[in-house]
Amino acid sequence: MQMNIDCNQDVLEGPATAMELKWGGDVSKFLPHPNLILMSDCIYYMEALDDLVKTMDDLSNKDTHILCCYEERTIGQNVEAQRKFTKLVEAIFTINEVPLAEQDDEYKSEDIHILHLMKR
């Protein structure tokens, strides 16, 4: 992630930081609340979802935009994990799916979903 930040310095309009974060842990070193949280491929492990959503809640405020990208999986525990994640986040955040028409033509796919979340 730091490499991506370094490679995109010319287009960044403010500071960007890549740091390791343990879900469910203390987020104080990540405050003040970030403007943007990017998440990718985090919705797959049922046992971690409560900690993931708690961390999302702790890290965000009403001005924080969260972009969450995940691949829709149709087998096994992944289906239930996606349902549980949606149930947990809809109690805290508004959820708007980014339509395929607004996604990059080269990378968009019917089974890849991008959610835009903001705290209620």
Side-chain angles (χ1 to χ4, degrees):
M1 296 216 24
Q2 187 60 50
M3 183 181 75
N4 285 331
I5 292 170
D6 295 343
C7 290
N8 289 287
Q9 284 297 315
D10 58 329
V11 295
L12 291 175
E13 295 180 9
T17 306
M19 296 170 28
E20 185 177 327
L21 172 64
K22 180 175 173 33
W23 297 344
D26 179 26
V27 301
S28 60
K29 71 178 182 179
F30 296 89
L31 300 177
H33 299 287
N35 297 324
L36 177 65
I37 298 171
L38 300 175
M39 301 171 47
S40 180
D41 297 321
C42 295
I43 308 168
Y44 58 88
Y45 186 57
M46 287 284 284
E47 290 77 10
L49 291 177
D50 289 315
D51 286 341
L52 171 62
V53 174
K54 177 191 181 314
T55 301
M56 293 166 60
D57 187 23
D58 291 347
L59 277 177
S60 62
N61 64 18
K62 294 215 180 257
D63 296 321
T64 304
H65 296 264
I66 301 174
L67 292 178
C68 174
C69 177
Y70 69 94
E71 182 177 355
E72 182 178 338
R73 311 218 190 249
T74 57
I75 58 171
Q77 181 181 354
N78 294 315
V79 175
E80 189 56 37
Q82 290 168 6
R83 282 191 202 119
K84 180 178 178 179
F85 176 80
T86 300
K87 183 177 180 180
L88 290 170
V89 297
E90 68 187 1
I92 304 167
F93 301 95
T94 60
I95 305 170
N96 292 298
E97 184 160 359
V98 178
L100 272 176
E102 294 178 20
Q103 297 178 29
D104 186 278
D105 286 335
E106 185 174 344
Y107 298 106
K108 68 182 176 183
S109 174
E110 292 283 338
D111 62 341
I112 304 293
H113 300 274
I114 302 173
L115 305 178
H116 180 206
L117 308 170
M118 292 197 72
K119 208 167 233 186
R120 293 185 180 278

